[in-house]
Amino acid sequence: MTETTRASWGSKLGVMLAAAGSAVGLGNLWRFPFCTAQNGGGSFLVIYLLCSFTIGLTLVFAEAALGMKVKSDPTDAFGWIHPKLKFIGGLCVFTSMIILPYYSLVGGWILAYVVKIFSMSSATDFGTAFSDFAASPVEPLIFFYVYLVGSAVVVYFGIQNGIEKFSKIMMPILFILLLVLTGRVLMLDRAWEGVKFFFRPDFSKLTGETLMNAMGQVFFSVSVGMGIYITYGSYVKDDTVTVSQLMRPVIVLDVLVSLLAGLMIFPAVFSFNVPVNAGPSLIFITLPQIFVSIPFGRFFGFLFFVILLGAAATSSISLFEVAVTFMCDQMKMTRQKAVVGFSAVCLFVGTFVSLSFGKLSGFKIGGKILFDQFDFLASNILLPLGGLLTCIAVGWILKSGRLIVFKNGIMQKGFEICIKWIAPVFIVLILLKGLELI
Ligand code: TRP
């Protein structure tokens, strides 16, 4: 596509909020709290912060710089570094095809809970209610279809009229609601216990594994490893704006939302004396249980699920956009056709993923149901692999100095050391850990 016809963002704030929308998602509000709980609270937090501002930041900056330079999809971006590297772009699209169906399935569950929270009472058995719902053959599918088609509509309207407008509305609302809800939770009895747990470092719990988990969390949370910032960066028209101006706020917001999520969830959990490391079921079982038993709790529960829905939606549209940009740039399709085509693929794949909780639960690959297999494949293999290939391509194959992300010489040098040495070494370790080889 030539630069004159290529779509572009309407404003700097628009790109920033769209990119922050991609980063802020279930990773912050759902995965971060239980990961922190399982890894020793405050000490995990310290490592998570360190990793976010070194490796996370480096990869986000590298991706965005590539996109802003090449102004095309990830295939062309890596092809610009070396023609033989085009395949990495294909890998990015493949990863989006794996993540989007199962991420949207969880999005559909959240949509369902926005409605369901009103019909729940303290007499409800929340555990059974959730597993029955997830296993039923029809209900979760309907919510999943509605959620996915909803995200598709935003992408259908394009960069400026769809993604940018949606993010500009959604992100501020999300932030305000999150502050309101955190404020309410901090007023609960014994809320302080939760805050202390969250911030007090317990360095005796600091093991090699904590380090790996923190790294994995950063990867998922800032959305690196599948060309999202290459894709979003490719629509930046304004050549005067620098990578760090656009992307620094993204990392800061991502970390801030994780901190707010911790300040909302730990006090609630401690105040009600429920197990702090309930894991993935925390948001669908433990939290609704808490919400229905506080004054106006259903209203706050509703707010909570609306926040989750908004956060998940801005992340889903970024996953969508990677594939759509690829189909437009490489296959010369119109945006509209690309959106319809990719939605059809995801609806089809997602149907099987949803049924893996019920009718297809007997069908396992490597001992895992389809949903778990998709999550494992994406988070433990494809994303770190995408990140590693990005480091090698930018740090080693591209002549250094051609991808300037900082004006300040010392910062630029730090970026180069990180992308060449620190990030790849850590990623290899996570990859080995994910594959249970170490
Ligand atoms: N970062 C998002 C979250 O925190 C999830 C996400 C969106 C993602 N796009 C991604 C993760 C791409 C990895 C890669 O929920």
Side-chain angles (χ1 to χ4, degrees):
M1 206 181 251
T2 61
E3 265 184 54
T4 42
T5 56
R6 191 176 182 77
S8 65
W9 303 101
S11 65
K12 228 164 71 176
L13 183 73
V15 204
M16 238 157 58
L17 289 179
S22 169
V24 172
L26 300 177
N28 309 66
L29 298 162
W30 160 71
R31 206 170 183 277
F32 173 75
F34 81 78
C35 246
T36 306
Q38 289 171 346
N39 288 282
S43 38
F44 178 83
L45 183 63
V46 174
I47 306 296
Y48 163 81
L49 290 174
L50 276 176
C51 289
S52 289
F53 288 106
T54 52
I55 300 163
L57 186 140
T58 303
L59 273 165
V60 171
F61 279 30
E63 279 195 15
L66 260 182
M68 285 163 74
K69 174 114 196 154
V70 183
K71 304 239 184 304
S72 188
D73 79 304
T75 322
D76 281 339
F78 286 106
W80 171 77
I81 295 179
H82 194 288
K84 285 213 172 104
L85 295 180
K86 273 193 157 205
F87 78 96
I88 307 175
L91 185 75
C92 293
V93 177
F94 178 68
T95 309
S96 76
M97 213 154 68
I98 297 288
I99 301 183
L100 191 59
Y102 87 84
Y103 199 86
S104 302
L105 185 64
V106 181
W109 292 347
I110 293 169
L111 184 60
Y113 268 65
V114 168
V115 184
K116 276 174 185 286
I117 190 82
F118 289 105
S119 59
M120 291 177 154
S121 74
S122 43
T124 311
D125 177 346
F126 292 87
T128 319
F130 176 66
S131 49
D132 284 354
F133 164 69
S136 93
V138 181
E139 212 190 341
L141 276 181
I142 296 174
F143 283 103
F144 160 64
Y145 293 157
V146 172
Y147 176 90
L148 195 99
V149 172
S151 324
V153 169
V154 177
V155 181
Y156 188 92
F157 280 106
I159 294 295
Q160 224 175 90
N161 288 325
I163 301 179
E164 183 168 352
K165 277 209 178 117
F166 185 73
S167 310
K168 270 183 160 166
I169 299 170
M170 227 40 225
M171 292 308 283
I173 295 181
L174 194 99
F175 212 66
I176 293 169
L177 292 185
L178 198 56
L179 285 175
V180 170
L181 197 60
T182 308
R184 172 69 186 90
V185 169
L186 285 173
M187 287 191 299
L188 293 171
D189 287 343
R190 280 184 295 130
W192 200 238
E193 295 295 310
V195 177
K196 277 201 286 204
F197 170 80
F198 186 37
F199 286 115
R200 191 191 302 130
D202 175 0
F203 285 106
S204 68
K205 290 243 172 72
L206 203 60
T207 60
E209 183 156 353
T210 319
L211 207 67
M212 302 287 165
N213 289 337
M215 213 20 252
Q217 173 58 27
V218 168
F219 244 85
F220 191 89
S221 185
V222 291
S223 313
V224 284
M226 54 158 286
I228 279 180
Y229 301 102
I230 297 181
T231 305
Y232 277 11
S234 76
Y235 296 107
V236 176
K237 217 189 216 150
D238 180 359
D239 285 330
T240 58
V241 53
T242 66
V243 178
S244 68
Q245 272 173 346
L246 285 182
M247 293 298 147
R248 214 175 350 209
V250 174
I251 308 272
V252 172
L253 272 176
D254 189 60
V255 167
L256 208 61
V257 172
S258 289
L259 292 178
L260 280 175
L263 279 178
M264 168 176 78
I265 286 172
F266 292 121
V269 164
F270 272 80
S271 168
F272 279 80
N273 234 342
V274 284
V276 63
N277 53 358
S281 64
L282 190 73
I283 61 169
F284 293 107
I285 300 174
T286 318
L287 289 184
Q289 204 169 346
I290 293 175
F291 284 130
V292 297
S293 53
I294 61 175
F296 305 109
R298 272 188 210 90
F299 170 70
F300 285 108
F302 168 76
L303 275 194
F304 174 72
F305 285 109
V306 169
I307 293 172
L308 278 177
L309 189 65
T314 46
S315 297
S316 303
I317 58 180
S318 73
L319 288 158
F320 231 114
E321 187 56 42
V322 172
V324 168
T325 298
F326 168 83
M327 288 158 94
C328 293
D329 288 353
Q330 297 301 318
M331 297 155 81
K332 308 289 171 229
M333 288 170 94
T334 61
R335 167 169 290 271
Q336 285 69 21
K337 274 201 186 130
V339 171
V340 173
F342 194 64
S343 304
V345 172
C346 291
L347 288 174
F348 180 75
V349 177
T351 302
F352 291 96
V353 178
S354 177
L355 292 176
S356 74
F357 285 94
K359 284 219 160 25
L360 295 180
S361 60
F363 176 72
K364 291 188 175 159
I365 308 172
K368 287 189 171 78
I369 61 165
L370 220 49
F371 181 95
D372 295 338
Q373 193 57 257
F374 269 50
D375 184 37
F376 175 79
L377 188 65
S379 320
N380 291 356
I381 301 176
L382 294 171
L383 291 175
L385 188 65
L388 182 63
L389 290 171
T390 308
C391 290
I392 297 174
V394 174
W396 293 91
I397 301 178
L398 180 76
K399 307 263 176 308
S400 71
R402 275 215 282 167
L403 209 56
I404 306 289
V405 301
F406 286 105
K407 288 209 177 99
N408 176 317
I410 298 175
M411 296 289 275
Q412 175 70 18
K413 192 80 206 145
F415 166 78
E416 278 161 21
I417 293 173
C418 207
I419 198 117
K420 249 181 136 150
W421 298 102
I422 304 175
V425 168
F426 270 88
I427 296 167
V428 168
L429 290 176
I430 308 174
L431 212 51
L432 293 176
K433 173 91 186 79
L435 295 170
E436 287 165 15
L437 294 175
I438 51 170

